[in-house]
């Protein structure tokens, strides 16, 4: 029992205790062998490292795609603004504002996620709101 308690204390003091599964602590409490518990903990830590690597690649892909959207949206907004200034047509102004709102939503969502550590779901809500307003403006530009 003394060895079990010292192992639990060592487990809690370890820097990676949050990365270990609850099963490791459970098997310690029910009296499973210490070596089996630490083997399981090592396997779980290795799996966690693979998941973190995959998540890093996913975040890199998402950031790259958002950057492409931001650059293309900015160029499209600038081109439609130039067309609006040249023709002074209200439908081109609405088109420019619609594309601008969609691009701004991408910028704000990415900034909120990266700089303010906002969860992906909440930043997606921000982007979706701006995208919805942008699409309404695009529809208005087509029907005006």
């Amino acid at each position: 029992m003394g060895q079990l308690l010292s192992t639990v204390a060592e487990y809690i003091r370890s820097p990676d205790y949050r990365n270990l599964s609850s099963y490791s602590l459970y098997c310690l409490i029910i009296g499973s062998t210490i070596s089996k518990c630490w083997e399981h903990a090592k396997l779980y830590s290795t799996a966690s490292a693979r998941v973190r690597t995959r998540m890093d690649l996913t975040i890199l892909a998402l950031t790259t795609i958002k950057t492409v959207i931001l650059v293309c949206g900015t160029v499209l907004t600038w081109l439609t603004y130039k067309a609006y200034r040249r023709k002074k047509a209200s439908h081109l102004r609405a088109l420019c504002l619609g594309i601008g709102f969609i691009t701004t939503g991408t910028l704000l969502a990415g900034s909120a996620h990266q700089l303010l550590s906002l969860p992906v779901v909440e930043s997606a809500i921000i982007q979706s709101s701006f995208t919805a307003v942008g699409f309404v403006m695009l529809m208005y530009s087509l029907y005006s």
Side-chain angles (χ1 to χ4, degrees):
M1 187 63 163
Q3 185 182 11
L4 179 63
L5 291 177
S6 66
T7 307
V8 171
E10 185 179 334
Y11 167 79
I12 291 172
R13 280 195 304 262
S14 74
D16 289 10
Y17 77 93
R18 288 187 183 100
N19 292 333
L20 301 176
S21 71
S22 58
Y23 174 76
S24 295
L25 184 58
Y26 174 73
C27 74
L28 286 173
I29 291 171
I30 64 168
S32 190
T33 62
I34 303 303
S35 60
K36 281 187 181 179
C37 291
W38 286 114
E39 277 180 33
H40 184 269
K42 286 178 188 175
L43 288 174
Y44 184 78
S45 294
T46 305
S48 292
R50 276 186 256 138
V51 169
R52 282 192 300 268
T53 303
R54 189 174 19 193
M55 288 181 70
D56 290 343
L57 291 175
T58 305
I59 290 172
L60 177 65
L62 181 64
T63 304
T64 303
I65 292 168
K66 293 274 189 182
T67 303
V68 169
I69 291 171
L70 184 63
V71 169
C72 292
T74 303
V75 170
L76 279 172
T77 304
W78 178 65
L79 290 173
T80 54
Y81 179 73
K82 281 178 49 176
Y84 163 69
R85 296 279 301 201
R86 190 173 46 248
K87 300 287 185 180
K88 299 289 186 195
S90 65
H91 67 280
L92 288 175
R93 181 182 63 217
L95 179 66
C96 175
L97 289 173
I99 295 171
F101 260 89
I102 293 170
T103 305
T104 302
T106 301
L107 176 67
L108 289 178
S111 299
H113 178 66
Q114 293 294 323
L115 302 176
L116 303 175
S117 299
L118 208 63
V120 174
V121 173
E122 292 177 12
S123 62
I125 290 171
I126 293 171
Q127 181 178 359
S128 297
S129 301
F130 275 84
T131 301
V133 171
F135 279 132
V136 168
M137 290 182 173
L138 290 176
M139 283 183 0
Y140 173 77
S141 75
L142 291 174
Y143 286 110
S144 64

